[in-house]
């Protein structure tokens, strides 16, 4: 079945780069998403990548997609304390149901 | 503007109460979603509406009753809930008919506590 996996926790120092990794199983996924959730808040769409792309850059965010290995990563350059949050990787479920398959979320802790 | 609004922000209710959660978007999106999220877990899909018609019900208990009065509004009616239903309830919308390629935009959620 469809499954998305992420490591649960990442701690970095302010100013360093953060890399959050995700693996997925559905090779037919068309779009892959990164959402950010701050404490007590909803999910904020950070970025997404189409499956025929290898890389997408948006300001401090870089998404890399290795379709062969079904591996997705999110790199945050110059990480700030405001980046502390839970980051969810998600893939669109096959069959056009609109269902998103989420990973368990990676908690990013940024130390000053 | 990619804004989905939800009211109320917080809700405390007893197990015999009837209450409703509201969600609104003015982006012209035609698909709307309800998710339930427990602490430190990913969101779980509950219902999907496409063009104001219920498209998906993920085997949700009947004490949760969704309603889509028009293309901008989505309600979730609550009745006889259990304490384990306490969670963050998230609404989302996407542009077109339900599709796995349509980006979903989430609201801030309603924090529900059932006593």
């Amino acid at each position: 079945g469809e499954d998305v996996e992420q490591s649960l926790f990442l701690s970095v120092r302010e100013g360093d780069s953060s890399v959050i990794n995700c693996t997925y199983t559905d090779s037919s996924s068309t779009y892959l998403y990164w959402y950010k959730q701050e404490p007590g808040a909803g999910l904020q769409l950070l970025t997404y990548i189409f499956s025929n792309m290898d890389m997408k850059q948006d300001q401090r965010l870089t998404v890399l997609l290795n379709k062969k290995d079904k591996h997705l990563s999110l790199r945050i350059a110059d990480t700030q304390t405001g980046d502390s949050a839970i980051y969810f990787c998600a893939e669109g479920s096959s069959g056009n149901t609109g269902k998103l398959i989420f990973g368990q979320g990676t908690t990013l802790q940024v130390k000053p | 503007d990619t804004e989905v609004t939800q009211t109320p922000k917080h809700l405390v209710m007893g197990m015999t109460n009837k209450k409703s959660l509201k969600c609104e978007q003015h982006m012209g999106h035609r698909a709307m979603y309800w998710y339930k999220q427990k602490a430190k877990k990913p969101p779980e899909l509950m219902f999907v509406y496409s063009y104001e018609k219920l498209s998906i019900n993920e085997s949700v208990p009947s004490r949760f009753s969704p309603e889509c009065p028009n293309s901008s509004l989505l309600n979730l009616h609550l009745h006889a809930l259990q304490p384990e239903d306490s969670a963050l309830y998230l609404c989302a919308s996407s542009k077109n008919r339900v599709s796995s390629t349509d980006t979903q935009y989430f609201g801030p959620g309603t924090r529900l506590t059932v006593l």
Side-chain angles (χ1 to χ4, degrees):
Chain A
E2 298 155 323
D3 193 23
V4 177
E5 291 191 1
Q6 301 176 239
S7 54
L8 293 181
F9 186 78
L10 175 66
S11 180
V12 300
R13 293 230 170 259
E14 194 173 17
D16 288 351
S17 290
S18 308
V19 179
I20 301 171
N21 294 301
C22 170
T23 56
Y24 62 97
T25 55
D26 187 356
S27 57
S28 65
S29 291
T30 312
Y31 281 94
L32 295 141
Y33 304 89
W34 284 105
Y35 287 91
K36 174 185 179 183
Q37 187 173 36
E38 297 181 26
L43 270 67
Q44 174 194 351
L45 177 67
L46 278 182
T47 187
Y48 59 90
I49 189 166
F50 190 50
S51 58
N52 68 353
M53 298 168 67
D54 298 324
M55 185 182 90
K56 181 178 180 181
Q57 188 153 5
D58 184 1
Q59 299 182 338
R60 292 191 297 123
L61 304 179
T62 302
V63 178
L64 295 177
L65 175 60
N66 181 328
K67 199 169 179 184
K68 175 175 168 287
D69 294 337
K70 298 191 186 112
H71 182 266
L72 182 73
S73 67
L74 174 69
R75 179 176 180 269
I76 305 173
D78 186 26
T79 313
Q80 304 297 306
T81 54
D83 295 323
S84 294
I86 301 176
Y87 290 80
F88 289 99
C89 165
E91 63 170 345
S93 170
S94 60
N96 276 339
T97 61
K99 189 172 180 177
L100 289 176
I101 310 299
F102 285 92
Q104 291 299 307
T106 300
T107 298
L108 175 64
Q109 179 188 68
V110 182
K111 296 179 182 176
Chain B
D1 181 17
T2 55
E3 189 177 17
V4 177
T5 58
Q6 290 186 244
T7 55
K9 193 169 182 179
H10 299 277
L11 178 62
V12 179
M13 62 186 289
M15 289 190 283
T16 58
N17 292 157
K18 284 186 182 180
K19 296 285 184 185
S20 297
L21 309 184
K22 295 186 186 303
C23 173
E24 192 166 2
Q25 56 86 14
H26 293 290
M27 298 178 277
H29 287 181
R30 302 312 300 267
M32 295 186 77
Y33 310 75
W34 278 117
Y35 287 84
K36 174 183 177 180
Q37 187 182 26
K38 296 288 247 183
K40 305 215 181 283
K41 296 291 185 184
E44 300 171 10
L45 183 66
M46 299 174 73
F47 302 104
V48 183
Y49 272 82
S50 178
Y51 287 81
E52 295 113 68
K53 287 187 169 41
L54 184 63
S55 173
I56 294 174
N57 176 343
E58 289 283 296
S59 303
V60 179
S62 59
R63 57 186 184 269
F64 295 91
S65 175
E67 179 198 18
C68 190
N70 60 56
S71 59
S72 301
L73 288 173
L74 185 66
N75 298 322
L76 186 63
H77 303 298
L78 314 173
H79 175 53
L81 294 195
Q82 303 297 310
E84 59 264 29
D85 296 321
S86 299
L88 181 68
Y89 287 84
L90 294 163
C91 174
S93 71
S94 63
K95 188 174 181 182
N96 292 314
R97 63 173 179 82
V98 173
S99 163
S100 299
T101 61
D102 249 5
T103 303
Q104 292 182 30
Y105 296 91
F106 284 79
T110 293
R111 175 76 57 192
L112 174 67
T113 303
V114 181
L115 300 177

